[in-house]
Structures are given as structure tokens and as C-alpha cells.
Amino acid sequence: MVGTRGVPARYGGFETAVEEIGRRLAASGHQVTVYCRGERHPEREYLGMRLVHLPAVRAKVAETLSHTALSVLHASGRRIARRGPDVALVFNAANAPMLPMLRALRIPVATHVDGLEWKRTKWSGAGQRYYRTAESLAVRWSDALIADARGIEDYYRERFGASSVFIPYGAPILTEPDNAKLAEAGYEPGRYHLVVARFEPENHVHLAVEGYRLSKAEHPLVVVGSAPYSDAYTARVKELAGDDPRITFLGGVWDQDLLDALYAGALTYIHGHSVGGTNPSLLRAMGAGASVVAFDVNFNREVLGEEAGRFFTGPQDLAAEIEAAENDPGAAADRGAAARKRAAENYVWDDVAAAYERLCEDLLARRLTRKTIRAR
């Protein structure tokens, strides 16, 4: 499993997916290797997964690709020594230039293409062109593409005529939040609104702040998150918040129990993400029973359906949704319960891991069939 920061999962959706899928594959008897960068786990194994820590160039453009290049070289060396992988799971289409080396050694590759990364503001110009090119290379050089949302599946079919395997993320279902931690942080269940996001324009944290400020909300807005390489956008968001005493910026919250309690206790969870596929933060909020108000794009409608959330396109309609939730908290709670039910039925990590297992077995079977044909 290559192309992410690795495990233990401390950063985002890819890392959570690697941990949840990898641990289940390992428990099923598979030998799972995860390539990691950044903070080093003290043990060589974690939840049954073998960890390989390799360095990366600390720069926005080069970090992911440099680490993946070293990871592929390492895996290729093991393959040459007949100790390498039967199948490679590569996360992020941006890593596509590294795929030919794996293919040359007859290692089948499934690429999780992620969302429409080229739409992110931080990748304007050359970065945007790179991501568009990387998508086409992932189509050309992968044995299978993995899409975590139907909208992503549709995009690759319409743009490239390429089929993909639909495997969403799973949602952790939270039934007993740690309300003591919530109280320690100074919050009361049902009496605040919540945003959890990296500070990037396409996550619309600025719209969440604008919409909240336009509202007559009595409950505070709690904003969790930050982002490397986004100082200008962070400054813009905080400028929009001004001196409004109702708005609190907590920065990154790395205590998962506290973060889960924040999701579960929110009157509304405001989800502004717009260019990804199935977003893990949205699934975590749903699994916690949060009442979601989401930016109106096809990915969010796909995950929430029509009964488990409300939608906004600008600050005015978000303000109206915030006020409506405060005026009728019972209806907001009912939507949260519907969201948890939808997550529990449609986004199950055991099912996700089983789908990855079937895909890997299929890729390996195809490789062995080709090997037999060549031998004959």
C-alpha cells in the first residue's frame, strides 16, 4: 500500500483507509506492507501491517511523488529478490509516473484515483496541468482504477472512456461519545455548530464563516482544522470572522475521542468540501449522528441522499439553515439519526476491505493466467 503518509492514521482520508483496509487484510492472513513517511511508529509492525519508513522531499509539489518514487524502488528491489508484492495498491493518481516500474516487474497495480485534485486552487498553472496529465497516465498504466464515489466513476468513464471499480470509504459508527471530554473543552451537546476541514478554498471554510456571521445564531461556531501551504487563505478566513465572539478556531484537533465528541455533540456539522469523492470527514460526522448541512455538489448528495442532510450554495442559504436548526433542534436531530443509519447501511469498513481483497485476488489471478500463457 503506497502513496500516502502511512499508518498509524493521523492525517486524512487516505491514511484512514489504509489503516482500516490494511488491518483487515492482515487479519485475514494476507501479508500487508504499508509505505510511510513523516512521524515514525516505534514498531516495525502496526495492527498486523509491516511498516516501511522512507524519506520525502519537504515541498508541496514534490513530497508525495518523491516518497512514492522511493517506495516503488524499494518494492521493486524486493520483487527482484523474489520477496516483493503480488499486488500494489497505489493511492492518488498523482503517483501515476511511478507505475511503469511496477508494471515492468509484472506487479499488478490498482490505483485509487482520489477526487478531482486539479480543481484545487493550490494547483493552479503547472500543478493543475500535472494533475490532469497524471489522471490520463493512471488510466493508461493501471491494471484497475478505484473510485470512491459514483461521481468519480462517471468522470473517468466520460473523460477517458475508462471503467473503474467503485469502492467507497467506511464510516465509523459512534454510539457513545465522550461527553466528558466535550465538557472539558467547554461545549454542551446540541449547543454549537461545527466545521472540520483543511483550510483550502474548495472546502469553503470561508463560506461557512460568512454564512454563520450573516445568521442570527445564538450558539457558537467551532472551526477545527488548518493546512500547510495555505497561509493566505487562513488569513482570509480569520479576517471574515473578524472579532465575532461567537466564532472559535481550535486549529487541528488530534485527540480522536474529542473530535468524535465534537461531531456527535454539534447541532449542525457544516461540510463545505466540493472536489473530492466520498469524503471521510463527512462519513465520520454521519456516523456520529451529526445533522449535516453540506455544500451542494453531486459528491455530497450521493453520500447523504435526500433525507440525511440539508444543502447550501452560498452564505445566505447557509445562514437560513443554521437559523432553522436552532429554531427546530428536534428536526436537526432526526436528520442526524437518519445520517447515522445511512452510514451504517452503506459505508461499512468490513465490506470495503472485502471489496479490496476481491480486487487484489482478481488482479493476482489475471497475472498468474498471463504468466501461464507465456510459459506455454
Side-chain angles (χ1 to χ4, degrees):
M1 304 179 86
V2 61
T4 76
R5 286 173 172 79
V7 296
R10 296 190 181 96
Y11 187 77
F14 267 162
E15 289 72 27
T16 299
V18 167
E19 182 168 312
E20 297 293 346
I21 296 161
R23 67 189 292 186
R24 287 168 171 81
L25 293 179
S28 296
H30 300 286
Q31 295 178 355
V32 179
T33 299
V34 178
Y35 285 90
C36 310
R37 69 180 190 265
E39 185 177 346
R40 181 182 289 268
H41 188 64
E43 304 295 331
R44 296 183 66 180
E45 286 196 0
Y46 174 71
L47 299 176
M49 298 170 279
R50 175 174 174 264
L51 309 184
V52 178
H53 290 271
L54 294 170
V57 175
R58 296 299 180 189
K60 178 173 69 171
V61 176
E63 183 174 349
T64 296
L65 197 59
S66 64
H67 180 261
T68 300
L70 292 176
S71 302
V72 168
L73 282 171
H74 184 278
S76 299
R78 290 180 60 81
R79 179 71 170 180
I80 293 169
R82 300 185 182 279
R83 294 180 290 115
D86 294 310
V87 177
L89 296 176
V90 177
F91 292 81
N92 195 340
N95 291 310
M98 301 298 108
L99 301 185
M101 186 177 298
L102 296 170
R103 295 290 302 276
L105 293 168
R106 296 173 183 167
I107 302 173
V109 177
T111 302
H112 188 307
V113 293
D114 199 16
L116 306 182
E117 191 72 13
W118 54 270
K119 286 190 172 183
R120 295 189 183 277
T121 305
K122 66 180 179 180
W123 299 124
S124 58
Q128 185 179 85
R129 290 191 295 275
Y130 174 81
Y131 271 94
R132 296 295 290 265
T133 301
E135 287 180 350
S136 65
L137 297 180
V139 170
R140 182 183 306 172
W141 290 332
S142 301
D143 294 284
L145 302 175
I146 302 168
D148 62 38
R150 294 295 184 188
I152 298 298
E153 189 179 26
D154 293 342
Y155 170 79
Y156 275 83
R157 182 176 57 251
E158 293 165 5
R159 179 168 176 79
F160 300 105
S163 61
S164 52
V165 181
F166 169 63
I167 311 178
Y169 290 126
I173 306 303
L174 183 66
T175 55
E176 296 182 4
D178 191 339
N179 286 329
K181 284 207 168 188
L182 193 65
E184 288 173 12
Y187 300 106
E188 184 179 344
R191 298 188 65 82
Y192 61 91
H193 305 273
L194 178 68
V195 175
V196 180
R198 283 202 293 269
F199 279 31
E200 297 174 345
E202 51 280 346
N203 292 344
H204 294 105
V205 182
H206 62 288
L207 282 186
V209 170
E210 282 187 86
Y212 178 82
R213 288 207 67 182
L214 283 175
S215 76
K216 299 175 182 176
E218 296 182 1
H219 301 326
L221 175 68
V222 180
V223 183
V224 175
S226 59
Y229 318 120
S230 297
D231 292 345
Y233 182 70
T234 300
R236 177 187 171 197
V237 170
K238 292 189 174 180
E239 183 180 354
L240 287 168
D243 58 356
D244 193 326
R246 301 174 300 167
I247 302 175
T248 301
F249 292 94
L250 293 186
V253 173
W254 309 116
D255 181 336
Q256 191 61 60
D257 291 334
L258 173 58
L259 187 58
D260 286 340
L262 285 167
Y263 278 121
L267 176 60
T268 66
Y269 165 67
I270 302 168
H271 183 76
H273 299 63
S274 63
V275 303
T278 300
N279 183 270
S281 180
L282 175 56
L283 290 179
R284 189 171 287 277
M286 292 171 65
S291 180
V292 180
V293 184
F295 190 70
D296 195 355
V297 291
N298 61 333
F299 302 121
N300 294 336
R301 283 192 176 271
E302 175 186 329
V303 175
L304 285 162
E306 296 302 320
E307 303 298 325
R310 301 287 294 174
F311 301 92
F312 71 95
T313 57
Q316 290 80 10
D317 46 343
L318 176 57
E321 293 293 346
I322 289 171
E323 291 174 1
E326 291 199 2
N327 291 333
D328 192 352
D334 288 344
R335 284 194 296 275
R340 182 190 284 117
K341 181 174 184 292
R342 183 173 175 84
E345 292 174 350
N346 295 284
Y347 299 96
V348 181
W349 277 121
D350 286 346
D351 296 342
V352 171
Y356 272 86
E357 184 178 40
R358 288 192 299 271
L359 174 60
C360 290
E361 290 173 343
D362 178 58
L363 291 174
L364 179 58
R366 280 192 249 165
R367 192 197 88 194
L368 294 176
T369 299
R370 289 195 296 268
K371 183 177 180 180
T372 301
I373 291 172
R374 282 194 298 271
R376 287 176 179 172

